[in-house]
Amino acid sequence: MHDELRVPSRILLGPGPSIANPRVLKAMTTPMLGYLDSDFVGVMDDTVSLIRQVYGTQNKVTFPVSGTGTAGMETALTNVIEPSDAVVVGINGYFGGRIAEIAERCRANVISVQAEWGDIIKPEQIADACDQVNPKLIGIVHGETSTGVLQPLEQIIEIAHENEALLLADCVTSLGGQPVDLDARGIDIAYSCTQKCLAGPPGLSPISFNERAVEVIHNRATKIQSFYMDVTLLEEYWMGDTRKYHHTVSMSMIYALREALRVVVEEGLSERYVRHERNARALIAGAEAIGLEPAATAKHRAPMLTTLRIPDGIDDGTIRKRLIQDYGIEIGGGLGIFAGKAWRIGLMGDAANEQNVLLVLNAIEKLLIEFGYRVDAGTAVSAAAAVYQES
């Protein structure tokens, strides 16, 4: 016989999942309903309305995909791309590369626009790529989880529309932590996740298609290759006049997402964005005070996720293991070229607060000193505290 499930408590300050809001976890205990029960349809409608509000859109085709952020990525790409379509993808980190790989699996002609990890994709790079091909889609990561870069979108969106291409934005790390504003910016397709700035458990991917994108989907010459992610079928379940069964959704996860979005809206979007920015400034001030350099360029750092370069002579795995053992804190290791060379600290959703910033800085500083890194104790916390005093 197995014992009752018990797991240790963690302060989740990595790239996700983040700390789930207690109200969200409580919502998950709500009793199950049938997937076509009229009361559950009401919950679905509430959830879609809240997704639209946080995304800043009136798009009809907006709903949560059953699956994590990668499921949203696949849904966006498999519905729009047909074989031999030209697709331009900006790659300045791990997840831009994943967009390109999935597009290739859809048999697209992928043109990769590369930038150094930690830097942004320049609009002129996208424009140059569009001079080479006539793209159907331009894919860009808004908040790159592997580097901590927040990508400016406005000029790239203009270039996409000048070339009659759809603009797809990966908002996995940004939704709920920084403005996305689909309608105001003219983003055609966006997807995100539940376990980062929305402070819910992983398992759903809020996605939105505007009318331009929906028209492309409905006018395909070939059949959508995925049944499970077929938007023409999913929209009949999520927003049809007569709801048609597609698959059995997770009621518990939809309850959770509804409550997570309620928490976001109650706080206020502007207030939430300011909170993420303030805590990121404090974290970076403390890190820089002890010589830890952010990997992302100064003007384009995502407040939700900070990637710090590991000092020479310090072992990545040892520090992260001790953070968990000694302090119950989880931070992330680097991906791709940053593996073993950088730490990723997420201040997302409920985790973005002064207590967590001071706690993680103090813990990292103490461990660095233990392993021979020369810095005066208390330097990081003092620098961070000064930011809070100013604001």
Side-chain angles (χ1 to χ4, degrees):
M1 293 292 293
H2 294 285
D3 294 334
E4 179 184 355
L5 178 63
R6 296 180 185 274
V7 299
S9 177
R10 296 276 190 259
I11 300 170
L12 299 176
L13 301 181
S18 64
I19 298 167
N21 185 286
R23 283 172 49 182
V24 173
L25 297 178
K26 180 180 177 182
M28 295 182 74
T29 67
T30 305
M32 298 295 102
L33 293 172
Y35 50 75
L36 291 175
D37 186 303
S38 60
D39 286 319
F40 183 63
V41 170
V43 173
M44 294 167 65
D45 289 345
D46 287 348
T47 305
V48 167
S49 176
L50 287 161
I51 294 172
R52 289 188 182 119
Q53 192 170 346
V54 177
Y55 259 136
T57 186
Q58 296 297 316
N59 290 342
K60 177 184 176 183
V61 181
T62 300
F63 61 94
V65 174
S66 294
T68 59
T70 300
M73 184 187 291
E74 291 226 35
T75 300
L77 295 167
T78 57
N79 278 271
V80 171
I81 297 173
E82 298 187 70
S84 300
D85 282 341
V87 174
V88 172
V89 180
I91 303 176
N92 58 341
Y94 186 88
F95 292 97
R98 182 171 292 186
I99 293 175
E101 179 172 342
I102 293 174
E104 288 173 354
R105 289 170 183 251
C106 295
R107 293 185 287 166
N109 172 26
V110 177
I111 297 87
S112 297
V113 174
Q114 304 278 348
E116 287 189 18
W117 286 38
D119 203 354
I120 62 168
I121 303 292
K122 307 292 194 303
E124 53 268 28
Q125 293 179 276
I126 299 294
D128 289 344
C130 291
D131 288 340
Q132 301 173 32
V133 296
N134 182 26
K136 183 178 190 178
L137 178 76
I138 295 173
I140 200 84
V141 178
H142 186 210
E144 177 52 75
T145 315
S146 62
T147 64
V149 167
L150 187 67
Q151 172 70 43
L153 295 175
E154 282 76 9
Q155 286 183 272
I156 292 176
I157 293 168
E158 289 180 14
I159 292 166
H161 293 168
E162 287 169 1
N163 287 273
E164 299 184 348
L166 297 172
L167 191 286
L168 177 149
D170 178 316
C171 300
V172 165
T173 299
S174 57
L175 184 66
Q178 282 292 276
V180 175
D181 298 332
L182 300 190
D183 290 357
R185 282 175 162 160
I187 296 169
D188 299 293
I189 308 167
Y191 57 86
S192 187
C193 71
T194 47
Q195 77 273 14
K196 294 182 187 283
C197 291
L198 297 185
L204 292 177
S205 176
I207 197 166
S208 189
F209 299 83
N210 68 10
E211 291 182 4
R212 292 181 71 235
V214 171
E215 184 178 0
V216 167
I217 294 170
H218 286 171
N219 291 319
R220 289 175 61 106
T222 59
K223 198 170 186 177
I224 295 168
Q225 68 185 54
S226 170
F227 176 88
Y228 192 67
M229 298 174 178
D230 187 331
V231 167
T232 65
L233 302 176
L234 288 165
E235 65 178 322
E236 291 182 327
Y237 175 58
W238 275 97
M239 61 244 1
D241 293 332
T242 302
R243 303 300 174 104
K244 295 183 180 179
Y245 165 76
H246 179 262
H247 69 279
T248 303
V249 295
S250 169
M251 289 79 195
S252 298
M253 278 304 307
I254 291 167
Y255 298 153
L257 175 56
R258 180 182 181 276
E259 189 63 21
L261 294 166
R262 277 189 358 109
V263 171
V264 172
V265 170
E266 285 177 14
E267 180 179 1
L269 290 173
S270 296
E271 291 80 4
R272 196 173 182 89
Y273 303 151
V274 168
R275 173 166 62 84
H276 280 81
E277 291 162 6
R278 182 175 62 252
N279 287 293
R281 285 199 306 273
L283 175 68
I284 291 173
E288 290 183 328
I290 57 173
L292 300 184
E293 177 189 356
T297 54
K299 293 182 179 180
H300 303 292
R301 292 171 184 165
M304 309 77 65
L305 193 288
T306 298
T307 299
L308 299 173
R309 299 182 188 275
I310 300 171
D312 292 339
I314 299 297
D315 182 68
D316 167 35
T318 299
I319 297 295
R320 288 193 290 116
K321 183 178 180 179
R322 287 286 303 279
L323 280 172
I324 289 177
Q325 289 178 342
D326 297 359
Y327 300 95
I329 299 173
E330 177 187 284
I331 66 172
L335 290 176
I337 65 170
F338 285 159
K341 299 178 181 178
W343 293 315
R344 293 183 295 157
I345 301 178
L347 297 173
M348 299 182 283
D350 285 21
N353 61 56
E354 181 176 348
Q355 177 181 342
N356 285 336
V357 170
L358 300 182
L359 184 64
V360 72
L361 285 172
N362 180 63
I364 289 174
E365 183 184 79
K366 283 187 173 182
L367 289 172
L368 289 175
I369 292 171
E370 179 182 335
F371 285 94
Y373 189 75
R374 292 191 175 183
V375 63
D376 293 333
T379 300
V381 168
S382 296
V387 173
Y388 290 117
Q389 290 168 3
E390 292 168 2
S391 58

